[in-house]
Amino acid sequence: MERRQEDVVLVSRRGSTAIVTMNRPGVLNVLDEAMADGLVAAFSTLAADDTVRVVILAGAGRSFMAGGDLARFHADLEGAPGTAAGLIDKFHRLMRIMKDMRAVVIAAVHGPVAGGGVGLAFACDLVVAAEGTTFLSAYTKLGTSPDGGTTWSLTRLMGPRRALEFVLFNQPLPTDKALEWGMVNRVVPKDDLMAAVDGLADRLVASATGATASVKRLIQSATQASFDEQLDREKASFVAAAGTADFREGISAFFEKRQPFFS
């Protein structure tokens, strides 16, 4: 039976925060075409909505996401190249939307996170992990290489040697090591995961929208730009912000010794 996109991807709102939940708990939220389409549709809509300041990405059940739906390939091994190309095109479109959108995307991860789930988690702007979460590449065990921006993210977060070892040897990475290596921002008790993510979202919602979007854009470009290019980008961003109401409010609040109230 064909599943509808809205069944496998749930979207809810809490003020300026949107919560996107992958909803295939019976199979650890593995990615198939319906889920990929649902995620692309959800994030496309949220990216076009200026009232959305933060997006929380979570998984229902026992896992954030345990990779791709291998049953799709097993059902037609000869057609695997075409199946892979179609699914990866959708998955990579999602990654591009997430990176380009103004809103900050926070991954709330738990359980076994494997394969494409690793790429998806680390493509998010911030990652909060529940205690006991493990990250596993798993690609080379299947005779293939990563997708979902995994090599891009891991190399920048871990460094090339650790990234290569992680992908080649398929050893699960526990949360304490992920935190030590800067892979995740915070590790919290499992029962506190969503409360912790909600707290971060509330702090971001209270910040200046333009400044938050600019910081996201500048940090993303920093690993690719030269020092001179980044200096120019920082100047342009600051000067543009200096003409906004939020900047005027921030300066006024500083001298009036009060909390700023951004629009």
Side-chain angles (χ1 to χ4, degrees):
M1 180 179 178
E2 184 177 353
R3 294 179 305 282
R4 298 178 301 171
Q5 295 174 13
E6 57 268 32
D7 294 331
V8 296
V9 176
L10 308 177
V11 181
S12 60
R13 286 288 296 268
R14 184 176 62 83
S16 297
T17 299
I19 302 93
V20 178
T21 304
M22 296 174 285
N23 189 40
R24 298 187 71 198
V27 289
L28 303 182
N29 297 315
V30 293
L31 186 77
D32 65 356
E33 286 83 352
M35 179 178 283
D37 286 337
L39 287 169
V40 167
F43 274 88
S44 295
T45 299
L46 296 173
D49 187 342
D50 290 338
T51 68
V52 176
R53 306 281 300 280
V54 180
V55 180
I56 296 170
L57 179 61
R62 298 186 295 110
S63 171
F64 172 76
M65 177 192 280
D69 191 344
L70 301 184
R72 291 285 294 108
F73 299 107
H74 191 251
D76 180 15
L77 291 174
E78 293 300 320
T83 300
L87 186 56
I88 291 173
D89 280 346
K90 298 174 189 290
F91 196 34
H92 287 184
R93 184 181 175 196
L94 169 65
M95 301 294 171
R96 293 185 173 100
I97 295 169
M98 290 168 55
K99 287 294 186 184
D100 290 343
M101 68 191 305
R102 287 168 56 87
V104 175
V105 184
I106 307 175
V109 302
H110 69 288
V113 181
V118 172
L120 180 59
F122 295 140
C124 296
D125 301 309
L126 301 171
V127 181
V128 180
E131 291 176 347
T133 302
T134 57
F135 301 95
L136 177 69
S137 174
Y139 286 97
T140 59
K141 290 179 66 176
L142 302 174
T144 187
S145 54
D147 61 351
T150 302
T151 56
W152 189 94
S153 298
L154 290 181
T155 302
R156 283 158 178 76
L157 291 168
M158 288 182 166
R161 292 192 186 278
R162 283 175 174 166
L164 190 61
E165 180 178 357
F166 176 75
V167 174
L168 288 179
F169 294 106
N170 296 298
Q171 292 297 311
L173 184 72
T175 49
D176 58 345
K177 189 62 68 176
L179 183 64
E180 177 187 340
W181 289 355
M183 312 296 293
V184 302
N185 296 90
R186 299 184 182 185
V187 176
V188 299
K190 184 177 180 180
D191 291 342
D192 297 339
L193 177 61
M194 293 312 297
V197 174
D198 285 343
L200 290 180
D202 289 344
R203 291 176 62 182
L204 289 168
V205 165
S207 64
T209 304
T212 300
S214 294
V215 169
K216 174 175 175 173
R217 184 173 61 251
L218 286 167
I219 294 295
Q220 288 178 357
S221 68
T223 58
Q224 301 158 316
S226 69
F227 185 62
D228 283 342
E229 289 171 336
Q230 195 69 0
L231 288 176
D232 291 339
R233 290 173 181 175
E234 288 180 349
K235 175 187 174 182
S237 182
F238 194 110
V239 171
T244 66
D246 277 345
F247 183 81
R248 292 191 291 272
E249 168 62 11
I251 294 295
S252 298
F254 176 83
F255 283 97
E256 294 167 11
K257 301 187 187 317
R258 60 175 175 81
Q259 290 295 318
F261 181 77
F262 296 115
S263 60

